[in-house]
Amino acid sequence: MDRAHAEDFLYHEARLLDAGRWRDWQKLFTDDAIYWVPANKADYDPTQHVSFIYDNMDLLNERLGRLESPVCYSQHPPSTTLHQIGNVTVYESGPDYAKIGSNLALFEFRNNSQRRFYPLQTFPAHCEHHVQLTAGGWKIKFKKVTLLNCDGEIFDLTFLL
């Protein structure tokens, strides 16, 4: 996988998330994939540290079920997001595997005048994707999103990064 293909893959993932097409986004993952959002920049092992998200596909499926539920009150009104991807680098690449790094600027907006926090939040992050070529195309085997502000106060991460 070269940088142009990596960018196309990450842009496609971002478009799915911004469109709220979570089940289509979930199909980008392998059956044994891990989706990890550490709670601290120095966390190197999710089995030894607290994480915002550390999901295998069963847990991600549960997370999506909660997001789709009409009683997901943390998403009333639902967030609208814009994922901006940049600085894409392919760190390792083989015929059926690649390790990709990128920067993410995620903008989340909720138009609710009763919300006590700012209606627009920004979540800058560094992302690491390990992708694998399968019969169905490139799939995410591992995704890590390290938020720049993970050590600060985070009000709500019920949307997807």
Side-chain angles (χ1 to χ4, degrees), residues 1 89-94 97-101 128-131:
M1 176 179 274
T89 304
V90 178
Y91 294 118
E92 294 177 26
S93 183
Y97 175 82
K99 183 177 173 184
I100 306 164
E128 179 181 330
H129 286 74
H130 298 192
V131 295

Side-chain angles (χ1 to χ4, degrees), residues 36-44 46 49-54 144-152 154 157:
W36 180 28
V37 181
N40 295 289
K41 289 182 200 94
D43 291 354
Y44 56 89
H49 300 99
V50 174
S51 299
F52 290 121
I53 298 170
Y54 182 59
K144 179 181 177 184
V145 179
T146 306
L147 295 166
L148 180 66
N149 55 343
C150 64
D151 296 325
I154 303 222
L157 282 178

Side-chain angles (χ1 to χ4, degrees), residues 16-55:
L16 291 174
L17 288 169
D18 290 339
R21 294 173 52 196
W22 302 314
R23 294 300 176 172
D24 290 333
W25 173 73
Q26 184 182 26
K27 291 176 188 172
L28 292 178
F29 289 84
T30 62
D31 292 339
D32 61 345
I34 295 293
Y35 172 48
W36 180 28
V37 181
N40 295 289
K41 289 182 200 94
D43 291 354
Y44 56 89
D45 183 351
T47 65
Q48 300 295 316
H49 300 99
V50 174
S51 299
F52 290 121
I53 298 170
Y54 182 59
D55 287 355

Side-chain angles (χ1 to χ4, degrees), residues 2-161:
D2 63 15
R3 187 175 51 84
H5 287 104
E7 286 175 341
D8 289 345
F9 183 84
L10 296 179
Y11 296 160
H12 175 66
E13 179 191 16
R15 281 191 299 275
L16 291 174
L17 288 169
D18 290 339
R21 294 173 52 196
W22 302 314
R23 294 300 176 172
D24 290 333
W25 173 73
Q26 184 182 26
K27 291 176 188 172
L28 292 178
F29 289 84
T30 62
D31 292 339
D32 61 345
I34 295 293
Y35 172 48
W36 180 28
V37 181
N40 295 289
K41 289 182 200 94
D43 291 354
Y44 56 89
D45 183 351
T47 65
Q48 300 295 316
H49 300 99
V50 174
S51 299
F52 290 121
I53 298 170
Y54 182 59
D55 287 355
N56 61 21
M57 287 305 98
D58 289 336
L59 290 172
L60 183 60
N61 196 49
E62 287 182 28
R63 182 179 304 280
L64 295 180
R66 287 190 301 272
L67 276 174
E68 295 165 338
S69 167
V71 293
C72 182
Y73 298 114
S74 62
Q75 279 294 302
H76 284 286
S79 295
T80 54
T81 60
L82 185 145
H83 290 70
Q84 186 174 17
I85 311 297
N87 295 6
V88 176
T89 304
V90 178
Y91 294 118
E92 294 177 26
S93 183
D96 62 351
Y97 175 82
K99 183 177 173 184
I100 306 164
S102 65
N103 289 340
L104 166 69
L106 174 87
F107 302 92
E108 182 244 0
F109 180 75
R110 278 198 238 175
N111 189 14
N112 182 352
S113 62
Q114 293 182 347
R115 187 169 178 186
R116 59 177 223 177
F117 308 115
Y118 296 112
L120 178 68
Q121 294 191 81
T122 304
F123 296 90
H126 177 75
C127 297
E128 179 181 330
H129 286 74
H130 298 192
V131 295
Q132 178 179 330
L133 186 59
T134 69
W138 288 98
K139 302 279 185 178
I140 301 167
K141 187 153 181 70
F142 174 81
K143 179 177 180 181
K144 179 181 177 184
V145 179
T146 306
L147 295 166
L148 180 66
N149 55 343
C150 64
D151 296 325
E153 185 175 10
I154 303 222
F155 301 114
D156 183 2
L157 282 178
T158 54
F159 54 89
L160 297 167
L161 299 164

